[in-house]
Amino acid sequence: MNETLGGILVVADSGIINATLAQTLFSLAQRVMIVNEAKQALALAEAGPFNLVLFSARLPDMTAQEFLRPIKNADSANTVATLVIGDPDQDVELEQCLQAGADDFLITPISEGLLKARVQFVLEHNRLRHQHEPSLENAELLKIEHDIQVARRIQAGFLPTELPKPGGWDVAACFQPAREVAGDFYDAFMLSQNRRLGFVIADVVDKGVPAALFMALVRSLTRAFAQQNYSINWTDILEAGTSAQPFTRRQTRAIPSTGTMALKNAVQLTNNYITENHMQDNMFATLFFGMLDPATGQLAYINAGHNPPVIFDGNGNLKLELKPTSMAVGMMPDTNYSIEFAQIDPGDFIFCYTDGVTEARNAGGDFFMEDRLFELLARPGTTARGLVDHVYAALQDFMTGAVQFDDITMIAVVRQPERF
Amino acid sequence: MPKVISVHSFRGGTGKSNTTANIAALLAEQGMRVGVVDTDILSPGIHVLFGLVEEKMVHSLNDYLWGSCNVEDAALDITANLGDAIKGKIYLIPSSMKTGDIARILREGYDVGLLNDGYERLIKQLNLDFLLIDTHPGLNEETLLSIAISDVLIIVMRPDAQDFQGTAVTVEVARQLSVPLMLLVVNKTPQIFDSQMVKKRVENSLRCEVAAILPHSDEMMALASEGVFVMKYPDHPMVRMLKKVLDYFQK
Ligand SMILES: Nc1ncnc2c1ncn2[C@@H]1O[C@H](COP(=O)(O)OP(=O)(O)OP(=O)(O)O)[C@@H](O)[C@H]1O
Ligand SMILES: [Mg+2]
């Protein structure tokens, strides 16, 4: 049943619609207004749309027909269902109302079951009738279309307009939604007073507008949390391990080094927020967050269920796949996201992508697959832009004549070779 | 193997900064290369003991935390301020005394992880044998981090009921962080107290090694932070007691 459009407007005294019946109506619609007088009802109907008007054949301030006329006149698209209630001796009035356009009638005394069945029937009938009204559907579609365009513009604003490029490094990204709005995003920004490059790629496990809204949330939270200086978590420190060996203790990974708290907070606090506030939406995002020290090439990262980013060396060899270290963001409350480390040497690059790349399909229905991607990536000495564009061109070639099913997002971070 | 030593107390004014400066001087006297970091960013002070005037502070720890210099750029060689007897080196990394800088720390905070990396870099760049960390009283972020990475933790306390309770908290935290060596220094002990009794009482209640029972000293009071005690009064009995503390981690 579709109760979301407007609601139910009732014009009848409590002798007809008693508390129990009112309760029944409240269970059928999100908005139910009950008034005694027809004038009041007309004012309400004018102010906002209802999808059902339930009225008594015996109104205190006008006849039922007089009441019905303006309701019908205002409803040129015929979206408001009308249901008249009469006593057993009022068959004449009821008949007149039906002629004047009322959809159906009820005879007092009304039982709960009957009221429910009749209301549902009238609403459903109305809904079905409108499914076959093409003019209305087009108008609605146009409106949706317009809204999606707006959403697309807003979403584009969530992506960084300019990517940071710390000295000796080169960063580029590509973002191609499957529909007008996407559930993927990428981000890159400097942290810890320009000492670290943070970069993120994420994929919300859903598509279309809901995924886009969720993406906006996850993206905003990760960035905001990463840029706060949060207190050391006691439990983090206490995790620091029990090795009694002096000095090596300092290398224990649970002890924060530059940027690692930002990294951990960004993912963990985002997960906490989502699992606390949006658990019922059943939405989650796979997310990779890298925290790079541009001076040394050391990369601290959290891979929350995202397909592994890859590091290629200067000779075009696949050096490392950064496998997931934990569950996706938004799946489980209190997930502990542990940090892993990798090294990006001069001439190496790291390439992150969403599964829209490897799961792109050609006209024959074949997947693009990792092998094709890795083959494309095995080309040393390319700029970040060159890499991303190269892969995207190959994808477009591959998908000729086929539909893009999933969002395609990539980000490449290239460390320039050392010059001697 | 270089060692990191944190000097901490639960309550303020126990003698952390003086203890840190004295230990630094004694180590440098032996020829060690010593770094001293003032992580008491909110109420810095140890630079006074080393005779560093504010104008000489080109950079401070704050500048490093805010990204305007490398941590070693904030290190000042203050060996000469302590007299000729010193064979080694003492480098001080002071915290800024500017009101605006302190306010900024309160307002914005900073990435505590920078401290960990900074300590490591100092040891490497200055080729240190010892890195001493003077801390803010109580448990806060930089203190927790400093304790967590220390090879030696020296907890300074007075023989005072409030200090006892607070120190118990610090000892417990340090235990959980499994600091390899934890030492208590009881300071400002009234001359009328029997130091052996005090030592027993502290060891019994806190279950932790007491490395020294230092008396309350009028000379120290009179010095009023205008110098490093062990350099000014090399023959004072307190110097011998402080040297004994070094034995715990210098064997
Ligand atoms: N054994 C002692 N006898 C007498 N006075 C002492 C003794 N030890 C320290 N003092 C004095 O106590 C005061 C505080 O000492 P100090 O600054 O070293 O303490 P602190 O623990 O670093 O203080 P804060 O918590 O404020 O950093 C100084 O004036 C110092 O001269
Ligand atoms: Mg002090």
Side-chain angles (χ1 to χ4, degrees):
Chain A
M1 200 199 71
N2 179 5
E3 78 274 73
T4 52
L5 263 172
I8 301 176
L9 174 63
V10 182
V11 204
D13 58 41
S14 56
I16 300 171
I17 299 294
N18 59 24
T20 320
L21 293 176
Q23 205 54 49
T24 306
L25 291 170
F26 279 109
S27 75
L28 292 170
Q30 284 181 347
R31 191 163 66 110
V32 178
M33 305 284 270
I34 303 177
V35 296
N36 282 327
E37 289 178 12
K39 276 214 188 83
Q40 259 179 301
L42 288 174
L44 281 171
E46 211 172 293
F50 289 89
N51 48 0
L52 173 65
V53 178
L54 187 61
F55 64 101
S56 164
R58 214 188 300 269
L59 293 167
D61 49 350
M62 59 181 82
T63 69
Q65 277 170 283
E66 281 172 327
F67 171 69
L68 193 55
R69 205 173 302 125
I71 295 271
K72 281 280 151 196
N73 286 344
D75 183 34
S76 58
N78 208 4
T79 55
V80 183
T82 44
L83 195 51
V84 58
I85 305 167
D87 293 337
D89 60 357
Q90 285 188 292
D91 32 11
V92 180
E93 287 93 322
L94 288 176
E95 237 177 89
Q96 283 169 345
C97 282
L98 290 173
Q99 268 162 15
D103 291 302
D104 211 339
F105 67 94
L106 279 162
I107 304 282
T108 56
I110 309 166
S111 74
E112 271 174 73
L114 192 59
L115 178 68
K116 192 168 174 176
R118 194 61 60 88
V119 166
Q120 281 179 335
F121 174 79
V122 170
L123 285 173
E124 181 67 1
H125 186 77
N126 222 28
R127 194 179 66 78
L128 287 174
R129 190 171 67 213
H130 289 294
Q131 272 192 352
H132 299 289
E133 291 212 23
S135 64
L136 176 85
E137 198 163 78
N138 279 345
E140 281 283 315
L141 277 181
L142 274 175
K143 192 176 162 330
I144 292 171
E145 190 69 38
H146 170 78
D147 287 353
I148 289 182
Q149 287 301 330
V150 174
R152 181 184 164 83
R153 273 205 301 281
I154 293 172
Q155 188 174 41
F158 278 111
L159 299 171
T161 42
E162 228 177 287
L163 296 173
K165 288 203 168 79
W169 294 81
D170 183 20
V171 186
C174 163
F175 173 73
Q176 195 59 49
R179 304 189 195 177
E180 291 300 311
V181 286
D184 280 7
F185 77 92
Y186 69 87
D187 203 357
F189 45 91
M190 297 304 291
L191 283 160
S192 290
Q193 271 76 34
N194 278 325
R195 285 190 172 96
R196 293 293 180 275
L197 167 70
F199 57 99
V200 184
I201 190 162
D203 183 353
V204 174
V205 184
D206 198 349
K207 287 178 194 63
V209 175
L213 288 173
F214 196 71
M215 163 266 180
L217 176 69
V218 174
R219 185 273 180 198
S220 305
L221 288 177
T222 46
R223 190 182 257 223
F225 285 138
Q227 284 169 335
Q228 301 272 331
N229 286 311
Y230 274 91
S231 313
I232 288 187
N233 204 326
W234 276 82
T235 51
D236 286 356
I237 282 274
L238 295 178
E239 264 169 29
T242 45
S243 154
Q245 243 194 340
F247 211 73
T248 50
R249 282 163 31 90
R250 209 164 302 127
Q251 268 96 42
T252 312
R253 283 170 178 186
I255 295 179
S257 60
T258 310
T260 57
M261 287 222 298
L263 173 60
K264 195 164 176 138
N265 283 330
V267 183
Q268 200 144 315
L269 297 177
T270 300
N271 181 66
N272 288 353
Y273 181 89
I274 290 170
T275 52
E276 266 164 38
N277 300 289
H278 298 276
M279 206 56 177
Q280 73 284 359
D281 301 332
N282 276 322
M283 289 265 220
F284 57 93
T286 69
L287 180 142
F288 175 90
F289 197 139
M291 187 68 75
L292 178 76
D293 180 357
T296 63
Q298 195 187 68
L299 175 75
Y301 68 91
I302 289 175
N303 184 346
H306 197 78
N307 49 332
V310 284
I311 297 178
F312 276 74
D313 70 11
N315 301 317
N317 300 314
L318 174 60
K319 238 170 91 170
L320 195 60
E321 291 186 68
L322 308 182
K323 300 237 163 64
T325 51
S326 49
M327 257 184 287
V329 171
M331 272 186 125
M332 269 276 272
D334 303 320
T335 303
N336 185 25
Y337 292 92
S338 59
I339 294 174
E340 290 295 327
F341 293 86
Q343 177 65 31
I344 303 175
D345 291 318
D348 291 1
F349 68 80
I350 176 167
F351 183 86
C352 313
Y353 59 99
T354 56
D355 54 16
V357 173
T358 41
E359 286 167 22
R361 281 192 229 181
N362 65 11
D366 305 323
F367 290 112
F368 192 70
M369 305 290 278
E370 274 181 9
D371 292 351
R372 275 199 193 80
L373 174 65
F374 291 177
E375 216 169 283
L376 291 169
L377 293 176
R379 27 163 35 217
T382 334
T383 62
R385 182 82 267 151
L387 262 177
V388 164
D389 287 349
H390 182 59
V391 174
Y392 188 62
L395 272 169
Q396 281 199 310
D397 249 15
F398 185 77
M399 292 191 297
T400 310
V403 183
Q404 182 188 336
F405 277 107
D406 203 353
D407 307 328
I408 290 172
T409 308
M410 309 176 247
I411 181 164
V413 180
V414 178
R415 184 170 187 186
Q416 280 151 15
E418 245 150 20
R419 279 178 245 282
F420 296 100
Chain B
M1 189 71 115
K3 275 194 161 65
V4 178
I5 303 175
S6 283
V7 182
H8 183 61
S9 67
F10 190 80
R11 300 179 66 226
T14 53
K16 287 180 294 299
S17 298
N18 276 279
T19 305
T20 309
N22 282 321
I23 289 177
L26 290 175
L27 288 168
E29 211 179 27
Q30 299 172 7
M32 297 290 154
R33 298 175 62 82
V34 184
V36 178
V37 185
D38 192 354
T39 64
D40 193 349
I41 311 174
L42 296 181
S43 50
I46 197 167
H47 61 278
V48 180
L49 301 176
F50 289 120
L52 177 66
V53 285
E54 253 190 274
E55 299 83 71
K56 280 253 181 96
M57 262 192 225
V58 188
H59 285 300
S60 60
L61 184 65
N62 307 56
D63 295 319
Y64 162 65
L65 297 177
W66 291 325
S68 45
C69 72
N70 280 322
V71 68
E72 67 272 18
D73 299 335
L76 282 165
D77 180 349
I78 45 86
T79 320
N81 296 7
L82 299 192
D84 311 326
I86 296 202
K87 287 179 280 184
K89 283 269 180 219
I90 302 186
Y91 295 96
L92 175 67
I93 295 85
S95 271
S96 171
M97 285 297 285
K98 297 193 187 100
T99 327
D101 288 350
I102 295 172
R104 181 169 167 193
I105 285 284
L106 281 170
R107 196 172 59 238
E108 293 172 23
Y110 64 92
D111 180 351
V112 183
L114 282 165
L115 276 182
N116 188 14
D117 292 341
Y119 295 156
E120 230 169 298
R121 192 176 160 101
L122 276 174
I123 292 171
K124 230 183 263 154
Q125 297 287 320
L126 302 176
N127 194 19
L128 299 178
D129 300 304
F130 286 94
L131 183 71
L132 268 60
I133 303 172
D134 188 17
T135 62
H136 188 66
L139 291 169
N140 61 16
E141 284 148 49
E142 44 275 357
T143 303
L144 271 175
L145 180 112
S146 303
I147 293 178
I149 59 140
S150 288
D151 303 295
V152 183
L153 170 65
I154 296 175
I155 305 174
V156 185
M157 63 178 286
R158 287 159 300 205
D160 172 292
Q162 289 189 58
D163 280 23
F164 264 99
Q165 284 201 357
T167 306
V169 174
T170 313
V171 167
E172 179 52 32
V173 169
R175 283 229 169 86
Q176 298 210 36
L177 295 174
S178 54
V179 178
L181 179 62
M182 179 161 39
L183 301 171
L184 288 176
V185 167
V186 181
N187 192 24
K188 300 192 180 179
T189 314
Q191 308 277 1
I192 51 160
F193 279 25
D194 173 348
S195 58
Q196 279 314 306
M197 289 280 284
V198 173
K199 185 173 154 87
K200 261 218 184 83
R201 214 186 120 208
V202 174
E203 277 178 343
N204 276 344
S205 73
L206 297 174
R207 308 243 156 249
C208 179
E209 188 93 49
V210 174
I213 305 278
L214 304 178
H216 177 90
S217 135
D218 287 338
E219 289 94 328
M220 178 89 100
M221 276 297 262
L223 183 59
S225 297
E226 293 195 45
V228 177
F229 188 83
V230 294
M231 293 285 114
K232 297 269 171 169
Y233 299 91
D235 300 323
H236 194 283
M238 198 131 86
V239 177
R240 195 175 29 84
M241 297 178 193
L242 280 161
K243 277 185 175 157
K244 265 200 166 151
V245 177
L246 307 194
D247 289 345
Y248 282 89
F249 49 81
Q250 267 204 315
K251 268 172 263 164

